[in-house]
Amino acid sequence: MKIPGSGGRLFRKYVIVLLVLVGGVLMASSLVELYFSYRETQRAILRVERTKAVAAAAGIEQFLKEVEQQVRETTRTASDDPDASQVGQGKLGFRQGLGAAMAEQRELDFLRVLRNVPAVSELSHLDLAGKEQLRVSRLDPDVVGSLEDFSQAPKFLQARAGKTFWSPVYFKNESEPYVTLAVPLGKYALEVTTAEVSLGAILKAISQIEVGPDGYAYVVDSRNQLVAHPDSRLLREKRDVSALVQVKSARAERPGLTADGPVAVVADGLGGGRVLAAHAAIAPLGWLVFVERPAADAYAPLRAPIIRSVVIFVLGLGLSMLASLFLARRMVAPIRVLQEGAERIGAGTLDQPIELRTGDEIEALAVSFNRMTASLKESYEGLEQKVEARTRELADANRDLIETLEQQTATSEILRVISSSPTDVRPVFDTVVQNARRLCGADSAGVLTYDGELIQIESLDNANPERADALRRAYPMPANRGHASGRAILTGRPVHIPDVREDPVYALDALQDAGLRSLLSVPMVRDGIPIGAITVQRWVTPRPFSDKQMVLLATFADQAVIAIENVRLFQELQARTRELGRSVEELEALGEIGQAVSSTLDLETVLTTIVSRADQLSGTDGGAIYEYDEPHEEFRLRVTLELEDELIEALRAAPIRLGEGAVGRAGAARRPIQIPDILGEATYTGRLREVAERAGYRALLAVPLLREDQLLGALVLRRRVPGPFSKETIDLLQTFSAQSVLAIENARLFREIEEKGHQLELASKHKSQFLANMSHELRTPMNAVLGYTDLILDNIFGDVPEAIRDTLERVKSNGHHLLGLINDVLDLSKIEAGQLTLSLGEYSMGEVIHAVVSAVESLAAEKKLALKATVPADLPPGRGDERRLTQVLLNLAGNAIKFTDEGEVSIQARASDGAFVVSVSDTGPGISEADQRTIFEEFQQADSSSTRKKGGTGLGLSISRRIVELHGGRLWVESTPGRGSTFSFTLPVRVERQAERA
Amino acid sequence: MNGGGFRCFWVAATIFLWLSAHAAEAQEGPRPFRIGVLNAAWAASHPTVEGLKAGLKELGVEDGRDVTFDIRFTEGKLDTMPAAAEALVKAGVDLIFTSQEVATQAAKDATKSVPIVFTLVGDPVGAGIVGKLAQPGGNVTGVSSLQTELVAKRLEVLKTLAPAVRRVWLIYYGVDLSTVPMVRKALDAAQRMKLEVVPKGVLDANELRRVLRDVRRDDAVLAPEGSNPDLAIAIIEQSLALRVPAVFGTALWVGYGGLMSYGPDYYAQGVQAATLVAKIRRGARPQDLPVEGAEKIDLAVNLKTADLLGLTVPRKILLRADAFRR
């Protein structure tokens, strides 16, 4: 037996081990060296970067400080300069002269700064108020006294606080960075000088910083925006670099630690790629200078060492390869000889020894091999007999195993059939008898059931048709000891009859004649009650059954019981589920109908819902609801469901009369009437019988709709299948009929209410319209009467005798009273008729109150009442109908004075939450609680008797309340009899729209 | 088998030797960067060129070692400019350094790839040389001499020095489109300064002389910037003859008797442009380098001319001035 390639495997293994050893050592040493030199280079780069960053930061700081210094120094104060006092003093007064001189000096100072500091492009002087007084620029014309206001600008505010202000960086032409500098002027920082400073110098310095071939530097301001960067594109983008790791770490650093602290990081660079970054801070401004170099630069110095290492590695590898080739060759050759010898032994050639003379362990191995070959030869002989004996034992065990396996397979097959057929026991029984016959080695087998009286054959497995016929003929029969299954069922124990001819009690001669000899029957028992048996038979020659077979049959019997039990439980469960489903459906239907009754007043909808649900739940084929017309004693069709057009036509043409047909009878009897089959019932002789018959209806159920014994209609269901309706259906239909009654009632009541409301509204409107027209008609002649009376009293028609004058005066005063009444009625009726429109405009509540006070002052004085008005000065301006509001307040104040005999009347006003609250209080008799409710109604006064005494129409309060309500406000009274009354109203300060009819 | 091992060894040794030899070879330095210069000067030593050289030196770029110059000047002739530009491109220079619009335009027409850095261009956007100052586009960038930006300031210094002036003749080179925004701005500023500005486009000195015949007392002349030295010389002559003040764009002409100038220094522009040149030399693309405004802006006054015109130089001018000519 030759193993292909096995000769080379060991050889390769040796070569590889040697190569790995030598190569590994070489590689490890090179890698360690490379790693350390990489770290060193990185550190060196960072050191250089850091130095450059610090230098650049110092340079920038120096530059900015110098600019600030120059701006401060040169513009320190004009009055220090002796030149200032020499200019223009002669012409002007000292003060103006000094001012002008200082202004001019300032301009000169600014020019000096521009000349001395190239970075400054523009200077401004802001005066005390932050107004720009002077602007001197390098590029643009100078401006004197532009008075541009910078008083709120940060540069002015911060400089005025005595601090130097540096603005954020901005870009001119999108590429030239600038900052605004503002410094306080003079010792007291009263005025401010601002300068626009170009950062071009910084940009240039930054661009010139060189760190390696690809390194660069940039500056970031306190808001983490790029200020200077060699690449102007990045500047133009106004890059926010706060997200960069190096910026974050620089910002997180505490200023005190920067000397030698962690100042460098490896991070993503601005232009992408990994970089080594170092930074330095420009402390006063919070700016940062970054110097970065691609991280890859750190690898550059490693190129030469890498090449060196590779060469050494390759050379070492070559040498070790040569050495290993030689060594491996020396070791492998004798092993090959050994291998060939071993192969010979393996092939069975035991008489050819291995020849090997190497003088080492391998030769010793060869000798051992030869010894082993000799002893192998000896032990071969005794082996064969042992093998034979063992094979026999195995065959026996195997048979047993197969039998058990078969039984288990049968059991599991039966179980599978049980689980796959939960509703039917027949397949289970069939499987049981087949397996029982086969495994018990019987000629036939059967499953029998017992219902307490008779034993029946359920399933039979018999190849011989004659014997099967004999068995079938023998059953059913009662349980008795005359046959095996009867005996097993009676005793509840297995019955074994080895030979029926020798059994004295066995009674079935017919079977005995057919050749039946041996029997085994096992009862099927559920909860101690036998429900059947499994019987196996052997024919022609008696052969007893073994105990094993009996046990097996008992197992089959148990399984059959389980199957029977399963089916029973399943059927029960199904019945329950059906019942439950039906209850749920009924509940749902009732819920739906209840919802329909309560949510819609549309009778059609509700009744249709009821019929369709009733039909659905009762499983009928159509239905209808009739309404009962009491005067005519007729049922009229209201809604129908799935009724044939012909039937509907017939019903509409001639309504059903009371006592006619199922519906009529149900109505007359006031109970449900059903006709299980209209063809079979002699009593069903309605006119519709033929039509219904043509439509295929056979059964009818009619339920009357009753309200407290009053007949409202009927609910009818029709079915195409004849037969009585179940009690549940009838009960259900009665519930539905109750719901229908409710719906019909609801609809009727709603109709009535709607009609009444409509009539009332119309009547009220007519009344108001009439009043409005009438008042208007009354007012015109009344005005004429009063006008002419005035003319007469004014002696236009000649002197009026004293007696007549007196009478005319009464005519006039009563006429005015009448006119007032008419006006009030007109107002009220206008409001009632919805014709009163507010003319909304701006008004002052204070003025309204003052106008009212001055109008009623004289009335109060006449009655010696104190009149007070409390109006806060800061009432907001109102929007509303001023004239009407004055009318309201006049009415309230007039009433208060009218009904108060002593004490005071006071008016208070205030505004809160966007609303005015105005109150009029008096010390009059007060109003009882009962009267408080009525005084706001038309023509009501608290004391009817006082109407005659005090006058008035009793319309004022009613009108006032309407006016306030039209404004969206509210008017009410608080009063205690004997203690006076307070009438108050609130109304929104700003009324933009008239309220809907109050 | 042994023979194979030795072969491996020899191959490895050969690779090693080749690698070390190759590394030694790479040590050789790069060739110098060749700068072509193009302008209308009369000599190679134009102030912008001198400024450029000084600026490069300051940046550590050595003439001869790091850069070489190929200078083409047309001695005032503008029509030979395109040919000179072509020649430079053909000579294979790495960058063209130009002064003034005509040279820049010629260089721009001659090449779309060789980077161009310009100086003394009054309004690079107006002249159509670049698209936007911040993003020039194409292969051109440089230093703008702020002709448009500074025109109002020029009127202002003129009025400060000669307050009696009521009317200013604004002379510009007629074919130079870039002067349009400048003229517009001057007219606008004049209104605020209560001056009358009369823009006059001319093409050569003769036409200029004809125009200046209408100049009266209390008038002044605003000279065009760059473009053509003939015009500047003519203005100096005429203004001195007519005794009217004239203001120039650069201090150069104050040295020749011009009254005053306000504008960028030529030399300084050269120095400023050196930064751009150095950046391009190191690999930057011109379209990424924003056009810079001239940084150094000088006010120069010729006191002798002022005397001649009977003008007292006020303190404001004296303080502001960077150079005097006595």
Side-chain angles (χ1 to χ4, degrees), chain A residues 576-594:
Chain A
R576 285 280 171 84
T577 311
R578 262 198 306 277
E579 239 169 73
L580 202 63
R582 197 182 150 74
S583 305
V584 169
E585 263 178 51
E586 277 176 23
L587 281 176
E588 268 175 9
L590 280 176
E592 194 182 310
I593 290 164

Side-chain angles (χ1 to χ4, degrees), chain A residues 561-581:
Chain A
V561 171
I562 289 171
I564 294 168
E565 197 59 1
N566 264 0
V567 169
R568 190 180 59 86
L569 286 175
F570 188 81
Q571 276 161 355
E572 255 173 44
L573 186 67
Q574 259 183 339
R576 285 280 171 84
T577 311
R578 262 198 306 277
E579 239 169 73
L580 202 63

Side-chain angles (χ1 to χ4, degrees), chain A residues 615-908:
Chain A
D615 176 64
Q616 192 186 338
L617 283 178
S618 318
T620 50
D621 303 309
I625 290 184
Y626 296 85
E627 209 171 359
Y628 182 57
D629 181 352
E630 199 157 7
H632 296 94
E633 296 201 324
E634 281 173 353
F635 288 91
R636 292 178 198 284
L637 194 60
R638 192 62 209 245
V639 292
T640 61
L641 182 82
E642 290 176 14
L643 282 194
E644 272 64 19
D645 288 342
E646 193 192 358
L647 194 57
I648 295 171
E649 276 310 307
L651 285 169
R652 286 211 198 287
I656 299 168
R657 285 186 301 281
L658 189 66
E660 182 192 21
V663 174
R665 269 153 55 194
R670 284 171 168 48
R671 64 178 174 80
I673 296 287
Q674 63 162 312
I675 301 174
D677 189 350
I678 55 172
L679 301 183
E681 178 126 353
T683 47
Y684 186 65
T685 53
R687 289 172 293 115
L688 297 165
R689 178 175 164 160
E690 272 177 35
V691 187
E693 205 183 313
R694 263 204 301 284
Y697 293 115
R698 297 291 295 274
L700 257 180
L701 175 60
V703 180
L705 306 185
L706 295 172
R707 181 172 62 91
E708 293 167 357
D709 219 33
Q710 186 195 347
L711 186 61
L712 291 182
L715 170 58
V716 179
L717 289 179
R718 289 163 205 273
R719 203 171 60 197
R720 291 204 165 87
V721 183
F725 289 89
S726 71
K727 190 178 172 307
E728 288 93 45
T729 307
I730 295 170
D731 285 351
L732 185 71
L733 217 60
Q734 273 180 316
T735 317
F736 279 16
S737 76
Q739 296 280 0
S740 312
V741 168
L742 207 60
I744 293 172
E745 267 307 279
N746 274 357
R748 192 177 57 79
L749 286 175
F750 181 71
R751 219 162 36 227
E752 277 173 20
I753 289 168
E754 214 171 23
E755 244 162 57
K756 291 255 164 67
H758 191 63
Q759 285 166 2
L760 275 175
E761 200 179 351
L762 212 63
S764 169
K765 211 164 198 165
H766 284 157
K767 181 201 79 180
S768 302
Q769 190 61 45
F770 170 75
L771 277 176
N773 292 344
M774 271 316 286
S775 310
H776 191 73
E777 292 302 321
L778 288 172
R779 204 159 60 153
T780 319
M782 201 61 218
N783 276 330
V785 169
L786 287 174
Y788 283 120
T789 312
D790 275 345
L791 289 178
I792 295 168
L793 284 172
D794 286 350
N795 295 340
I796 300 294
F797 303 106
D799 283 342
V800 180
E802 208 44 45
I804 298 176
R805 175 173 290 275
D806 210 32
T807 314
L808 279 178
E809 290 284 0
R810 283 195 196 165
V811 167
K812 184 181 163 185
S813 96
N814 279 306
H816 273 294
H817 181 63
L818 187 54
L819 189 62
L821 274 171
I822 293 170
N823 278 340
D824 280 356
V825 169
L826 184 60
D827 272 352
L828 190 68
S829 52
K830 266 185 174 171
I831 295 170
E832 290 275 314
Q835 287 173 355
L836 188 86
T837 18
L838 297 181
S839 88
L840 296 176
E842 301 291 325
Y843 71 92
S844 152
M845 183 53 88
E847 276 173 25
V848 168
I849 292 171
H850 284 304
V852 169
V853 167
S854 53
V856 298
E857 230 163 18
S858 56
L859 287 176
E862 245 173 60
K863 294 183 79 172
K864 299 203 167 51
L865 296 175
L867 180 61
K868 290 197 292 193
T870 317
V871 184
D874 58 351
L875 279 185
R879 185 173 169 77
D881 190 335
E882 181 173 10
R883 196 172 67 80
R884 293 289 175 186
L885 289 175
T886 311
Q887 185 185 348
V888 170
L889 199 57
L890 202 58
N891 176 263
L892 294 182
N895 277 353
I897 294 169
K898 201 194 304 181
F899 292 103
T900 305
D901 293 324
E902 55 185 341
E904 61 163 41
V905 170
S906 63
I907 305 175
Q908 287 96 24

